[in-house]
Amino acid sequence: MPRRGIRVPWTGLSLLGPALVAGVAYLDPGNVASNMTAGARYGYLLVWVVLAGNVMAWLIQYLSAKLGVVTGRSLPEVLGTRIRNPWARRAYWLQAELVAMATDIAEVLGGAVALNLLFGIPLLLGGVITGTVSIVLLAVHSRRGARHFEFVIIGLMALIVVGFVAGLVVAPPDPAGVVGGMLPRFADSGSVLLAASILGATIMPHAIYAHSALARDRFGAAGDASTGSATQAVVGSVTQDAGSAMRARGSHSIRTLLTATRWDVTIAMLIAGSVNLAILLVAAANLAGVEGTDSLEGAHAAITANLGPLIGTLFAVGLLASGLASTSVGAYAGAEIMHGLLTVRIPLLARRLVTLIPALVILGIGFDPTLALVLSQVVLSFGIPFALIPLVALTAQRRTLGEHANRRLTTLLGILFSVLIIVLNAVLLWLVATG
């Protein structure tokens, strides 16, 4: 054991992980489709959307994790207690379930396309394989615990990074174009549609639900070990003796855990933001004006032709890892949504089929996978306010988080981000309706 007064810097590393798992949601095939399409169609125009979305995502994911760390409950659990009207609670669950389905469509389609590109497997069979692997990964979480699940997902994240960043190393973008893309602007209604799609892929509603649950699973219920006394965590009308449930946090205080969480979220968002930006820049630098690059298959063919077969293969491997990892996290979020809002648990296989079937139907009828991916991200964009507004409201309340409630500036930024996203969606609806 280290002597008293000596700080061991490696100790904090053991507290990292939940944000990296939640961050996989920001690297799902929907991100790939949206960012690749944006770069191929509009060049560097929407660089600013990727950057702005990542800044918003940092704050949102931190607030989600903070809720789980301090209260020991996930966002769906807290809302399940707060929403007293059963019909209102079911309506809220329904929209969250639709978001989970849209998420799964993107992730399963991406995995199916990757298997087709790598091994020539038919899309429908590839979707079944992707769904099956996700069940296996979820079984790891159920039987081996959160830490083992984190290790598997982080390993897949490493493959994602290599697969999507390799093209940027081989063919760097135009620096002037990148700088010009940081100026907020749109070209037409199509660019607004893609901006909403990028935001829906960057700020993922299911990641907001999942991150609070991941933090809860890792650290348990609230209690501040530094004071040596129990703190009171109030969730709705339920008051818990938070100091009696210190099972997962060991001797770490809430402040220590929140500090580690900020580092965890920062690392995760740096990785996710860099990869998303790399995807857009690779497309802008190498695929602009090339026919067919608005589909994943066409983008893979163009990357292989322009950057070589190795980069093309790495792109497909990254897409496969993206589909496998993100669909597992998405299914985890879906199970948490159902449990927290409806207070029911169903068998893992049955729960997985609820969101897997729509994706398999799309593959079975031959609908364009890339178009389905982009549209699914727009659906996710409309689901953001339903997750974000309650999150900001709950984390601003002292009766929920006590002394760890948001500072005024944090709450104001959360409100500002919520308003920006809602306004963008309203503009999107107007532009699409008016052509």
Side-chain angles (χ1 to χ4, degrees), residues 294-332:
D294 54 353
S295 70
L296 290 175
E297 298 90 340
H300 172 262
I303 288 174
T304 301
N306 293 333
L307 303 180
L310 175 60
I311 302 301
T313 300
L314 289 175
F315 173 84
V317 170
L319 182 62
L320 177 60
S322 169
L324 295 178
S326 57
T327 194
S328 302
V329 176
Y332 170 88

Side-chain angles (χ1 to χ4, degrees), residues 86-117:
W87 289 106
R89 188 169 62 251
R90 290 166 190 155
Y92 187 93
W93 165 79
L94 180 60
Q95 65 80 28
E97 193 68 48
L98 291 175
V99 165
M101 289 183 180
T103 300
D104 221 36
I105 288 173
E107 294 157 351
V108 173
L109 289 179
V113 169
L115 288 171
N116 179 263
L117 294 175

